[in-house]
Amino acid sequence: MRDAITVRAALIMLGVLLLQLGFALSYMGAFHAPKAHRVPVAVVAPAALEGSAVTRLNALPGTPLAATAVADRAQGRKRLLDRRADAVFLVDATGRTDTVLVASAGGPSASDAATKVVQVVDGKQGRRITVRDIRPPASGDSRGLSSFYLVLSWTIGGYLASSALSMATGSARPTLRRILVRLAAMVPYAFISGIGGAVIVGPVLDCLPGAFWELVGIGTLVVFASGAVGVALQSLLGTIGLGVTILIFTVLGNPSSGGVYPAALLPPFWRAIGQALPPGAGTTVVRNTVYFDGHATTGSLWVLGAWAFGGLVVAIGSAAVRHRRTRRTSVAPAT
């Protein structure tokens, strides 16, 4: 046993086991019981009914909806397409059939949840609901998951590329020169990855048609951010850095990203961290760029930029500190 499995190998196996269990806990914890929580809904109703309609929706047990009154249908539609609401509830004062507007391209789970809640409320009052989808996903993106899977491939590709660069040199603690070369190598890799992803979801599969060059730019940023963080953590922590990278991007980032279930349907922990991590920010940017003319993407772009910049600073900074320490150690005996 001692000859076949070293202490270092045993510790690595322990780390893999913890990642495996963390993967199961994170994904099943996020997805096992999705429940609506403050799904944003715009309400359009006559003045006499507006207050009671909003109050009734906001007073539901468990607070599944966060209803806000808007002036008219046009304002409600604008709020829906600006990604400030997942549904618009149009109250018909003259009949018994109300209307719910949704944009399922933004993720059908939230709009479906809001619609079901409104249907239950109206059903208790003997009213009916008509659902109109004003922004459905593309024909090749039937469940609206292509954005999530595209960003998933970009993030995994980024940190695996950085890991490959680390393993190729066989250095757990790379020199400053090697760090600079690795970061420089991530730039063309990220750009080619962005083009490849945009080609696959556009001309090849027709999942996310249009916005080709915008997707190339987003993909380049996502892959470089993932790769830069991978380089930084492996420079700082050695082999353990790859495990930490997987923890951030895959174990925590993917289930909280809003790709499968939006934040309003996730438990509090995953809801809180999702848009602060690259998979969530990337999914939001891709989806809103393709389907909603880039609305509500500024914050997510800043998040991606912050991770990319942070990776650069940590990678170069840790290598520079090691470089100075090495020089001092080599100069002291000579002196």
Side-chain angles (χ1 to χ4, degrees), residues 205-233:
L205 298 179
D206 199 33
C207 299
L208 300 173
F212 177 84
W213 287 109
E214 290 88 341
L215 288 179
V216 171
I218 296 167
T220 302
L221 178 58
V222 170
V223 175
F224 184 78
S226 176
V229 171
V231 171
L233 291 176

PDB file of all heavy atoms in Angstrom, residues 205-233:
ATOM      1  N   LEU A 205     -26.229  24.670 -34.685  1.00  0.00           N
ATOM      2  CA  LEU A 205     -27.426  24.115 -34.040  1.00  0.00           C
ATOM      3  C   LEU A 205     -28.621  25.061 -34.027  1.00  0.00           C
ATOM      4  O   LEU A 205     -29.740  24.634 -33.714  1.00  0.00           O
ATOM      5  CB  LEU A 205     -27.091  23.722 -32.587  1.00  0.00           C
ATOM      6  CG  LEU A 205     -26.019  22.642 -32.412  1.00  0.00           C
ATOM      7  CD1 LEU A 205     -25.772  22.383 -30.933  1.00  0.00           C
ATOM      8  CD2 LEU A 205     -26.429  21.347 -33.118  1.00  0.00           C
ATOM      9  N   ASP A 206     -28.415  26.328 -34.321  1.00  0.00           N
ATOM     10  CA  ASP A 206     -29.482  27.326 -34.321  1.00  0.00           C
ATOM     11  C   ASP A 206     -30.182  27.403 -32.959  1.00  0.00           C
ATOM     12  O   ASP A 206     -31.390  27.580 -32.861  1.00  0.00           O
ATOM     13  CB  ASP A 206     -30.507  27.011 -35.414  1.00  0.00           C
ATOM     14  CG  ASP A 206     -31.362  28.233 -35.769  1.00  0.00           C
ATOM     15  OD1 ASP A 206     -30.833  29.363 -35.703  1.00  0.00           O
ATOM     16  OD2 ASP A 206     -32.547  28.056 -36.098  1.00  0.00           O
ATOM     17  N   CYS A 207     -29.385  27.249 -31.880  1.00  0.00           N
ATOM     18  CA  CYS A 207     -29.948  27.357 -30.523  1.00  0.00           C
ATOM     19  C   CYS A 207     -30.120  28.816 -30.116  1.00  0.00           C
ATOM     20  O   CYS A 207     -31.150  29.188 -29.544  1.00  0.00           O
ATOM     21  CB  CYS A 207     -29.037  26.672 -29.510  1.00  0.00           C
ATOM     22  SG  CYS A 207     -28.782  24.924 -29.781  1.00  0.00           S
ATOM     23  N   LEU A 208     -29.087  29.614 -30.365  1.00  0.00           N
ATOM     24  CA  LEU A 208     -29.104  31.024 -29.989  1.00  0.00           C
ATOM     25  C   LEU A 208     -28.756  31.853 -31.232  1.00  0.00           C
ATOM     26  O   LEU A 208     -27.646  32.362 -31.361  1.00  0.00           O
ATOM     27  CB  LEU A 208     -28.100  31.293 -28.861  1.00  0.00           C
ATOM     28  CG  LEU A 208     -28.318  30.517 -27.562  1.00  0.00           C
ATOM     29  CD1 LEU A 208     -27.159  30.745 -26.604  1.00  0.00           C
ATOM     30  CD2 LEU A 208     -29.633  30.912 -26.902  1.00  0.00           C
ATOM     31  N   PRO A 209     -29.673  31.981 -32.167  1.00  0.00           N
ATOM     32  CA  PRO A 209     -29.366  32.691 -33.416  1.00  0.00           C
ATOM     33  C   PRO A 209     -29.202  34.183 -33.194  1.00  0.00           C
ATOM     34  O   PRO A 209     -29.803  34.772 -32.290  1.00  0.00           O
ATOM     35  CB  PRO A 209     -30.594  32.396 -34.294  1.00  0.00           C
ATOM     36  CG  PRO A 209     -31.697  32.146 -33.309  1.00  0.00           C
ATOM     37  CD  PRO A 209     -31.054  31.492 -32.124  1.00  0.00           C
ATOM     38  N   GLY A 210     -28.373  34.806 -34.034  1.00  0.00           N
ATOM     39  CA  GLY A 210     -28.133  36.245 -33.907  1.00  0.00           C
ATOM     40  C   GLY A 210     -27.090  36.538 -32.849  1.00  0.00           C
ATOM     41  O   GLY A 210     -26.636  35.664 -32.106  1.00  0.00           O
ATOM     42  N   ALA A 211     -26.679  37.798 -32.793  1.00  0.00           N
ATOM     43  CA  ALA A 211     -25.722  38.276 -31.788  1.00  0.00           C
ATOM     44  C   ALA A 211     -24.427  37.470 -31.812  1.00  0.00           C
ATOM     45  O   ALA A 211     -23.835  37.192 -30.767  1.00  0.00           O
ATOM     46  CB  ALA A 211     -26.347  38.235 -30.393  1.00  0.00           C
ATOM     47  N   PHE A 212     -23.963  37.105 -33.020  1.00  0.00           N
ATOM     48  CA  PHE A 212     -22.791  36.227 -33.118  1.00  0.00           C
ATOM     49  C   PHE A 212     -21.564  36.857 -32.471  1.00  0.00           C
ATOM     50  O   PHE A 212     -20.923  36.259 -31.601  1.00  0.00           O
ATOM     51  CB  PHE A 212     -22.504  35.910 -34.591  1.00  0.00           C
ATOM     52  CG  PHE A 212     -21.270  35.069 -34.793  1.00  0.00           C
ATOM     53  CD1 PHE A 212     -21.342  33.689 -34.688  1.00  0.00           C
ATOM     54  CD2 PHE A 212     -20.041  35.649 -35.076  1.00  0.00           C
ATOM     55  CE1 PHE A 212     -20.198  32.904 -34.864  1.00  0.00           C
ATOM     56  CE2 PHE A 212     -18.902  34.879 -35.253  1.00  0.00           C
ATOM     57  CZ  PHE A 212     -18.984  33.496 -35.154  1.00  0.00           C
ATOM     58  N   TRP A 213     -21.219  38.075 -32.875  1.00  0.00           N
ATOM     59  CA  TRP A 213     -19.996  38.679 -32.362  1.00  0.00           C
ATOM     60  C   TRP A 213     -20.133  39.096 -30.903  1.00  0.00           C
ATOM     61  O   TRP A 213     -19.145  39.117 -30.156  1.00  0.00           O
ATOM     62  CB  TRP A 213     -19.582  39.866 -33.234  1.00  0.00           C
ATOM     63  CG  TRP A 213     -19.043  39.403 -34.548  1.00  0.00           C
ATOM     64  CD1 TRP A 213     -19.626  39.513 -35.771  1.00  0.00           C
ATOM     65  CD2 TRP A 213     -17.801  38.693 -34.760  1.00  0.00           C
ATOM     66  NE1 TRP A 213     -18.835  38.931 -36.739  1.00  0.00           N
ATOM     67  CE2 TRP A 213     -17.712  38.426 -36.154  1.00  0.00           C
ATOM     68  CE3 TRP A 213     -16.776  38.276 -33.919  1.00  0.00           C
ATOM     69  CZ2 TRP A 213     -16.628  37.756 -36.715  1.00  0.00           C
ATOM     70  CZ3 TRP A 213     -15.693  37.608 -34.471  1.00  0.00           C
ATOM     71  CH2 TRP A 213     -15.615  37.353 -35.845  1.00  0.00           C
ATOM     72  N   GLU A 214     -21.358  39.411 -30.485  1.00  0.00           N
ATOM     73  CA  GLU A 214     -21.562  39.677 -29.062  1.00  0.00           C
ATOM     74  C   GLU A 214     -21.258  38.422 -28.245  1.00  0.00           C
ATOM     75  O   GLU A 214     -20.620  38.487 -27.183  1.00  0.00           O
ATOM     76  CB  GLU A 214     -22.990  40.134 -28.801  1.00  0.00           C
ATOM     77  CG  GLU A 214     -23.330  41.513 -29.317  1.00  0.00           C
ATOM     78  CD  GLU A 214     -23.809  41.483 -30.773  1.00  0.00           C
ATOM     79  OE1 GLU A 214     -23.541  40.469 -31.469  1.00  0.00           O
ATOM     80  OE2 GLU A 214     -24.435  42.469 -31.195  1.00  0.00           O
ATOM     81  N   LEU A 215     -21.706  37.250 -28.746  1.00  0.00           N
ATOM     82  CA  LEU A 215     -21.418  35.999 -28.046  1.00  0.00           C
ATOM     83  C   LEU A 215     -19.926  35.687 -28.051  1.00  0.00           C
ATOM     84  O   LEU A 215     -19.391  35.146 -27.072  1.00  0.00           O
ATOM     85  CB  LEU A 215     -22.198  34.848 -28.691  1.00  0.00           C
ATOM     86  CG  LEU A 215     -23.707  34.823 -28.443  1.00  0.00           C
ATOM     87  CD1 LEU A 215     -24.341  33.652 -29.171  1.00  0.00           C
ATOM     88  CD2 LEU A 215     -24.020  34.751 -26.958  1.00  0.00           C
ATOM     89  N   VAL A 216     -19.250  36.017 -29.147  1.00  0.00           N
ATOM     90  CA  VAL A 216     -17.801  35.814 -29.184  1.00  0.00           C
ATOM     91  C   VAL A 216     -17.127  36.625 -28.081  1.00  0.00           C
ATOM     92  O   VAL A 216     -16.254  36.128 -27.363  1.00  0.00           O
ATOM     93  CB  VAL A 216     -17.231  36.208 -30.564  1.00  0.00           C
ATOM     94  CG1 VAL A 216     -15.704  36.204 -30.535  1.00  0.00           C
ATOM     95  CG2 VAL A 216     -17.739  35.253 -31.643  1.00  0.00           C
ATOM     96  N   GLY A 217     -17.526  37.889 -27.946  1.00  0.00           N
ATOM     97  CA  GLY A 217     -16.941  38.729 -26.909  1.00  0.00           C
ATOM     98  C   GLY A 217     -17.254  38.220 -25.513  1.00  0.00           C
ATOM     99  O   GLY A 217     -16.366  38.176 -24.639  1.00  0.00           O
ATOM    100  N   ILE A 218     -18.503  37.820 -25.288  1.00  0.00           N
ATOM    101  CA  ILE A 218     -18.876  37.298 -23.972  1.00  0.00           C
ATOM    102  C   ILE A 218     -18.099  36.024 -23.673  1.00  0.00           C
ATOM    103  O   ILE A 218     -17.581  35.832 -22.565  1.00  0.00           O
ATOM    104  CB  ILE A 218     -20.393  37.028 -23.919  1.00  0.00           C
ATOM    105  CG1 ILE A 218     -21.171  38.335 -24.078  1.00  0.00           C
ATOM    106  CG2 ILE A 218     -20.775  36.343 -22.611  1.00  0.00           C
ATOM    107  CD1 ILE A 218     -22.645  38.136 -24.352  1.00  0.00           C
ATOM    108  N   GLY A 219     -18.021  35.139 -24.664  1.00  0.00           N
ATOM    109  CA  GLY A 219     -17.292  33.886 -24.468  1.00  0.00           C
ATOM    110  C   GLY A 219     -15.829  34.119 -24.158  1.00  0.00           C
ATOM    111  O   GLY A 219     -15.244  33.449 -23.294  1.00  0.00           O
ATOM    112  N   THR A 220     -15.214  35.070 -24.849  1.00  0.00           N
ATOM    113  CA  THR A 220     -13.812  35.388 -24.586  1.00  0.00           C
ATOM    114  C   THR A 220     -13.625  35.841 -23.145  1.00  0.00           C
ATOM    115  O   THR A 220     -12.694  35.405 -22.452  1.00  0.00           O
ATOM    116  CB  THR A 220     -13.331  36.487 -25.545  1.00  0.00           C
ATOM    117  OG1 THR A 220     -13.498  36.046 -26.904  1.00  0.00           O
ATOM    118  CG2 THR A 220     -11.866  36.830 -25.301  1.00  0.00           C
ATOM    119  N   LEU A 221     -14.526  36.688 -22.663  1.00  0.00           N
ATOM    120  CA  LEU A 221     -14.425  37.183 -21.287  1.00  0.00           C
ATOM    121  C   LEU A 221     -14.650  36.067 -20.278  1.00  0.00           C
ATOM    122  O   LEU A 221     -13.911  35.945 -19.289  1.00  0.00           O
ATOM    123  CB  LEU A 221     -15.437  38.310 -21.076  1.00  0.00           C
ATOM    124  CG  LEU A 221     -15.500  38.917 -19.663  1.00  0.00           C
ATOM    125  CD1 LEU A 221     -14.136  39.463 -19.244  1.00  0.00           C
ATOM    126  CD2 LEU A 221     -16.556  40.027 -19.611  1.00  0.00           C
ATOM    127  N   VAL A 222     -15.667  35.214 -20.514  1.00  0.00           N
ATOM    128  CA  VAL A 222     -15.966  34.127 -19.577  1.00  0.00           C
ATOM    129  C   VAL A 222     -14.802  33.142 -19.501  1.00  0.00           C
ATOM    130  O   VAL A 222     -14.364  32.747 -18.406  1.00  0.00           O
ATOM    131  CB  VAL A 222     -17.260  33.399 -19.999  1.00  0.00           C
ATOM    132  CG1 VAL A 222     -17.448  32.117 -19.176  1.00  0.00           C
ATOM    133  CG2 VAL A 222     -18.471  34.311 -19.819  1.00  0.00           C
ATOM    134  N   VAL A 223     -14.274  32.730 -20.659  1.00  0.00           N
ATOM    135  CA  VAL A 223     -13.183  31.750 -20.670  1.00  0.00           C
ATOM    136  C   VAL A 223     -11.927  32.333 -20.043  1.00  0.00           C
ATOM    137  O   VAL A 223     -11.240  31.664 -19.264  1.00  0.00           O
ATOM    138  CB  VAL A 223     -12.907  31.277 -22.110  1.00  0.00           C
ATOM    139  CG1 VAL A 223     -11.685  30.353 -22.147  1.00  0.00           C
ATOM    140  CG2 VAL A 223     -14.123  30.554 -22.678  1.00  0.00           C
ATOM    141  N   PHE A 224     -11.622  33.592 -20.370  1.00  0.00           N
ATOM    142  CA  PHE A 224     -10.421  34.184 -19.788  1.00  0.00           C
ATOM    143  C   PHE A 224     -10.566  34.342 -18.276  1.00  0.00           C
ATOM    144  O   PHE A 224      -9.609  34.100 -17.532  1.00  0.00           O
ATOM    145  CB  PHE A 224     -10.123  35.542 -20.411  1.00  0.00           C
ATOM    146  CG  PHE A 224      -8.847  36.144 -19.899  1.00  0.00           C
ATOM    147  CD1 PHE A 224      -7.621  35.713 -20.375  1.00  0.00           C
ATOM    148  CD2 PHE A 224      -8.866  37.117 -18.905  1.00  0.00           C
ATOM    149  CE1 PHE A 224      -6.431  36.240 -19.874  1.00  0.00           C
ATOM    150  CE2 PHE A 224      -7.694  37.654 -18.401  1.00  0.00           C
ATOM    151  CZ  PHE A 224      -6.465  37.213 -18.885  1.00  0.00           C
ATOM    152  N   ALA A 225     -11.758  34.748 -17.803  1.00  0.00           N
ATOM    153  CA  ALA A 225     -11.962  34.871 -16.357  1.00  0.00           C
ATOM    154  C   ALA A 225     -11.764  33.525 -15.671  1.00  0.00           C
ATOM    155  O   ALA A 225     -11.084  33.419 -14.645  1.00  0.00           O
ATOM    156  CB  ALA A 225     -13.359  35.413 -16.071  1.00  0.00           C
ATOM    157  N   SER A 226     -12.343  32.471 -16.250  1.00  0.00           N
ATOM    158  CA  SER A 226     -12.190  31.135 -15.680  1.00  0.00           C
ATOM    159  C   SER A 226     -10.730  30.688 -15.704  1.00  0.00           C
ATOM    160  O   SER A 226     -10.201  30.159 -14.721  1.00  0.00           O
ATOM    161  CB  SER A 226     -13.055  30.146 -16.472  1.00  0.00           C
ATOM    162  OG  SER A 226     -12.866  28.829 -16.026  1.00  0.00           O
ATOM    163  N   GLY A 227     -10.053  30.924 -16.836  1.00  0.00           N
ATOM    164  CA  GLY A 227      -8.651  30.525 -16.945  1.00  0.00           C
ATOM    165  C   GLY A 227      -7.749  31.315 -16.024  1.00  0.00           C
ATOM    166  O   GLY A 227      -6.827  30.759 -15.406  1.00  0.00           O
ATOM    167  N   ALA A 228      -7.993  32.636 -15.919  1.00  0.00           N
ATOM    168  CA  ALA A 228      -7.158  33.471 -15.056  1.00  0.00           C
ATOM    169  C   ALA A 228      -7.304  33.066 -13.595  1.00  0.00           C
ATOM    170  O   ALA A 228      -6.316  33.014 -12.843  1.00  0.00           O
ATOM    171  CB  ALA A 228      -7.525  34.945 -15.244  1.00  0.00           C
ATOM    172  N   VAL A 229      -8.529  32.759 -13.178  1.00  0.00           N
ATOM    173  CA  VAL A 229      -8.739  32.303 -11.802  1.00  0.00           C
ATOM    174  C   VAL A 229      -8.049  30.957 -11.585  1.00  0.00           C
ATOM    175  O   VAL A 229      -7.434  30.715 -10.537  1.00  0.00           O
ATOM    176  CB  VAL A 229     -10.251  32.199 -11.497  1.00  0.00           C
ATOM    177  CG1 VAL A 229     -10.482  31.513 -10.154  1.00  0.00           C
ATOM    178  CG2 VAL A 229     -10.876  33.589 -11.483  1.00  0.00           C
ATOM    179  N   GLY A 230      -8.130  30.069 -12.592  1.00  0.00           N
ATOM    180  CA  GLY A 230      -7.439  28.785 -12.476  1.00  0.00           C
ATOM    181  C   GLY A 230      -5.936  28.954 -12.343  1.00  0.00           C
ATOM    182  O   GLY A 230      -5.297  28.310 -11.506  1.00  0.00           O
ATOM    183  N   VAL A 231      -5.345  29.827 -13.170  1.00  0.00           N
ATOM    184  CA  VAL A 231      -3.908  30.096 -13.082  1.00  0.00           C
ATOM    185  C   VAL A 231      -3.565  30.662 -11.709  1.00  0.00           C
ATOM    186  O   VAL A 231      -2.573  30.269 -11.075  1.00  0.00           O
ATOM    187  CB  VAL A 231      -3.476  31.068 -14.194  1.00  0.00           C
ATOM    188  CG1 VAL A 231      -2.033  31.538 -13.970  1.00  0.00           C
ATOM    189  CG2 VAL A 231      -3.594  30.409 -15.562  1.00  0.00           C
ATOM    190  N   ALA A 232      -4.389  31.599 -11.227  1.00  0.00           N
ATOM    191  CA  ALA A 232      -4.118  32.245  -9.948  1.00  0.00           C
ATOM    192  C   ALA A 232      -4.148  31.253  -8.789  1.00  0.00           C
ATOM    193  O   ALA A 232      -3.239  31.228  -7.944  1.00  0.00           O
ATOM    194  CB  ALA A 232      -5.137  33.363  -9.715  1.00  0.00           C
ATOM    195  N   LEU A 233      -5.184  30.433  -8.739  1.00  0.00           N
ATOM    196  CA  LEU A 233      -5.326  29.517  -7.612  1.00  0.00           C
ATOM    197  C   LEU A 233      -4.272  28.414  -7.644  1.00  0.00           C
ATOM    198  O   LEU A 233      -3.797  27.973  -6.586  1.00  0.00           O
ATOM    199  CB  LEU A 233      -6.733  28.920  -7.607  1.00  0.00           C
ATOM    200  CG  LEU A 233      -7.853  29.915  -7.271  1.00  0.00           C
ATOM    201  CD1 LEU A 233      -9.218  29.255  -7.377  1.00  0.00           C
ATOM    202  CD2 LEU A 233      -7.658  30.487  -5.864  1.00  0.00           C
TER     203      LEU A 233
END
